[in-house]
């Protein structure tokens, strides 16, 4: 009988100890954030959507080969007059190929960041965009290069 | 049955039959119940088929395979660097620890030396991740016992750790931070101060958690003496990690088979003592994890103090070919030992990669100890083992 009341007493006090903690937070500043109105400041290294500046790309195919899920399709053509690109170490490099297709299928992306690590010119990079939902799978495929300009067929 | 009795009331033999039938009804028919695949006591999808007699469980058959992705086969098709992001997905709550174990395995296979600074950074990250997953465990353990608030508190502090990870490697869940031969980037500016401040805050919050949940009388009544796992049974089933230490066995790879820079750091191994029930009950397994958080804070503080200057990444070729051979490396993960057995045939891809995970063995010890248990106690028992399903299925 004594034990019965004792356990009720112990239970009640431990509830009160717990309630004291929750009530303390009831009156303190809220820890949550109202998301669409307020937004996080993304850290500098944040790995968001994969993007490419195709004018810097020298089509070395590093990103295509390292990608574990092979989401990048890269096509290029040789150019007669090589352009010049400055690489990450500050040296000038010849850009012998012109990128005609640089497709990124973001629906496959696992955001591992292996592709951006080895890029010699910093052409491929990860932006701070993180709201990537789309209405169709076609919209998830992003094109970053200008397709080759086909001369208009002559009228006969 | 009562109709049967009315029909043949005078026939004694039939009355006797009915009596024996009645006895059967009282004992009850055994019934198969599906618990899961979605159930809050598992982090993931696990189907448990319970053979029950009323509320009492007579047998448990865990059905796994809902999350099978064939990681071991994928590893054979990718080169050593490319498999690193996949190790994040072995145990998504402790991705840093999985990264560390894989990196150590390949470094041993290819005899690569890691810079000292990288080793310290790795240990800091692994211990912070250990804290994060134990906080999730505390929250979900509360949920299973019917306490709804602790998970909010646990996630609030976990959020701080994820912020630290995000500023270091850019991701919050699948980090892919470690590389073969080091880590991908050096610590960002302000990381050390922020991590120290976090350690101070968490230490105060731990007292709060203990008052709120660990020493709550209702919680103790629910957890103590439930799901007792004796030490010999735990060893027989190959149970590792906090589940084994909860049974009173002092076995921790960080001490018994030291790797990385753990020998240079001071910490204790908390062991279940059966303070409030029997040794190896659910409360012991829970409390071992809570005490491990304290020890992890100690390790992080020491590592931050001792952090040497220097490189964070050894030079490793983009595609490198380790010599022929095989290696087995294991590391102490928050859920038990994670082992990588890698066979190299001298090419750029592993010939075979086998993953040994803690959760798989820990789950195998649940059916034998849950015989004769109530269904609601089974939820507690399974929850206290803290299994993560992608680790079981791989």
């Amino acid at each position: 009988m004594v034990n019965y009341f004792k356990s009720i007493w112990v239970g009640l006090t431990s509830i009160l100890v717990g309630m004291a903690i929750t009530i303390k937070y009831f009156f303190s500043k809220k820890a949550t954030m109202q998301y669409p109105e307020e937004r996080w400041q993304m850290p500098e290294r944040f790995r968001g959507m994969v993007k490419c500046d195709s004018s810097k790309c020298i089509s070395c195919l590093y990103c295509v080969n390292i990608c574990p899920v092979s989401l990048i399709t890269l096509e290029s053509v040789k150019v007669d007059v090589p352009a010049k690109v400055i690489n990450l170490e500050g040296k000038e490099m010849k850009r012998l190929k012109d990128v005609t297709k640089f497709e990124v299928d973001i629906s496959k992306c696992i955001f591992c960041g292996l592709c951006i690590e080895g890029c010699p010119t910093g052409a491929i990079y990860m932006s701070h965009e993180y709201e990537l939902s789309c209405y169709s799978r076609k919209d998830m495929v992003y094109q970053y290069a200008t397709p080759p300009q086909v001369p208009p067929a002559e009228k006969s | 049955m009562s109709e049967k009795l009315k029909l043949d009331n005078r026939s004694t033999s039939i009355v006797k039959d009915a009596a024996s039938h009645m006895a059967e009804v009282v004992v009850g028919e055994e019934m198969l119940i599906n618990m899961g695949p979605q159930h809050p006591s598992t982090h993931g999808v696990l189907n448990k088929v319970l053979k029950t007699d009323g509320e009492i469980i007579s047998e448990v058959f865990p059905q796994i395979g809902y999350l099978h992705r064939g990681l071991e086969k994928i590893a054979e098709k990718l080169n050593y660097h490319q498999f690193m992001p996949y190790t994040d997905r072995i145990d998504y709550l402790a991705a840093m620890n999985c990264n560390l174990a894989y990196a150590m395995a390949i470094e041993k296979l290819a005899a690569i030396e890691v810079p000292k600074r990288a080793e310290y950074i790795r240990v800091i990250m692994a211990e912070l991740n250990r804290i994060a997953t134990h906080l999730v465990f505390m929250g979900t353990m509360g949920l299973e016992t019917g306490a709804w608030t602790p998970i909010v508190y646990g996630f609030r502090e976990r959020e701080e750790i994820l912020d630290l990870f995000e500023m270091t490697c850019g991701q919050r869940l699948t980090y892919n931070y470690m590389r073969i031969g080091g880590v991908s980037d050096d610590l960002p500016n302000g990381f050390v101060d922020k991590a120290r401040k976090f350690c101070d805050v968490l230490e105060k919050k731990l007292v709060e958690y203990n008052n709120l949940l660990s020493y709550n009388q209702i919680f103790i009544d629910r957890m103590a003496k439930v799901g007792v796992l004796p030490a010999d049974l735990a060893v027989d089933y190959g149970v590792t990690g906090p589940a084994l230490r909860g049974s009173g066995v002092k076995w921790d790879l960080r001490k018994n088979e030291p790797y990385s820079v753990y020998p240079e750091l001071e910490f204790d191994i908390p062991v279940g003592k059966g303070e409030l029930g029997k040794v190896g009950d659910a409360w012991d397994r829970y409390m071992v994890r809570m005490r491990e958080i304290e020890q992890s804070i100690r390790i992080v503080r020491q590592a931050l103090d001792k952090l040497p200057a220097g490189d964070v990444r050894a030079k490793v070729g983009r595609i490198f070919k380790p010599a022929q051979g095989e290696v087995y490396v294991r590391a102490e993960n928050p859920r038990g030992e994670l082992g990588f057995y890698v066979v190299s045939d001298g090419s750029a891809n592993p010939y075979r990669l086998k993953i040994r995970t803690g959760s798989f063995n820990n789950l195998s010890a649940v059916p034998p100890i849950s015989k004769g248990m109530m269904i609601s106690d089974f939820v507690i028992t399974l929850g206290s083992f803290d299994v993560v399903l992608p680790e079981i299925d791989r």
Side-chain angles (χ1 to χ4, degrees), chain A residues 25 45 47 65-66 112 117, chain B residues 82 168 176 179 186 208:
Chain A
Y25 282 105
R45 290 177 186 174
R47 302 207 300 256
N65 290 331
I66 196 76
C112 61
E117 224 175 57
Chain B
Q82 280 177 316
T168 323
N176 187 26
R179 296 285 187 274
D186 203 348
E208 208 167 80

Side-chain angles (χ1 to χ4, degrees), chain B residues 38-83:
Chain B
Q38 270 86 34
H39 195 274
S41 66
T42 55
H43 311 292
V45 274
L46 169 69
N47 182 17
K48 285 84 56 185
V49 180
L50 311 177
K51 201 185 240 179
T52 56
D53 176 2
E55 188 80 350
I56 314 273
I57 295 170
S58 53
E59 242 172 309
V60 181
F61 311 98
Q63 309 276 318
I64 61 170
Y66 286 91
L67 275 168
H68 182 71
R69 294 146 296 165
L71 282 182
E72 290 172 11
K73 189 68 193 169
I74 290 172
E76 292 168 21
K77 299 285 168 196
L78 299 173
N79 70 38
Y80 290 100
H81 287 296
Q82 280 177 316
F83 188 64

Side-chain angles (χ1 to χ4, degrees), chain A residues 4-145:
Chain A
Y4 177 76
F5 284 110
K6 200 181 165 191
S7 62
I8 287 178
W9 172 247
V10 172
L12 275 176
T13 45
S14 65
I15 284 175
L16 284 177
V17 169
M19 286 303 257
I21 292 164
T22 40
I23 284 167
K24 197 176 88 195
Y25 282 105
F26 190 75
F27 293 108
S28 62
K29 209 182 143 220
K30 291 191 175 48
T32 47
M33 184 185 255
Q34 299 301 315
Y35 160 61
E37 287 88 36
E38 286 175 83
R39 269 158 204 275
W40 287 107
Q41 179 83 40
M42 282 298 143
E44 203 183 314
R45 290 177 186 174
F46 180 73
R47 302 207 300 256
M49 188 159 102
V50 178
K51 283 192 169 180
C52 179
D53 182 357
S54 63
S55 64
K56 276 188 191 170
C57 180
I58 54 165
S59 12
C60 66
L61 297 182
Y62 175 81
C63 52
V64 178
N65 290 331
I66 196 76
C67 183
V69 286
S70 34
L71 56 86
I72 303 166
T73 342
L74 203 153
E75 279 171 19
S76 53
V77 283
K78 271 196 175 174
V79 283
D80 303 329
V81 190
K84 277 170 187 171
V85 184
I86 296 166
N87 73 358
L88 288 178
E89 288 157 10
K91 284 179 192 166
E92 259 190 16
M93 281 177 103
K94 275 183 184 171
R95 187 166 174 272
L96 298 165
K97 284 174 175 176
D98 211 358
V99 183
T100 54
K101 191 181 182 186
F102 196 101
E103 251 181 31
V104 175
D105 187 353
I106 216 80
S107 61
K108 283 184 192 169
C109 190
I110 57 173
F111 301 96
C112 61
L114 286 176
C115 53
I116 55 165
E117 224 175 57
C119 186
T121 58
I124 190 163
Y125 63 98
M126 283 182 133
S127 69
H128 286 189
E129 275 174 49
Y130 55 90
E131 290 151 321
L132 304 175
S133 48
C134 293
Y135 283 105
S136 75
R137 286 192 188 172
K138 267 186 192 167
D139 294 349
M140 302 291 266
V141 183
Y142 287 85
Q143 186 73 246
Y144 291 117

Side-chain angles (χ1 to χ4, degrees), chain B residues 241-249 251-252 254 269-272 288 292 332:
Chain B
L244 176 70
R245 290 193 283 277
S247 301
V249 182
W251 176 261
D252 191 317
R254 291 174 291 172
I269 305 165
V271 177
V288 161
E292 247 174 43
E332 185 71 34

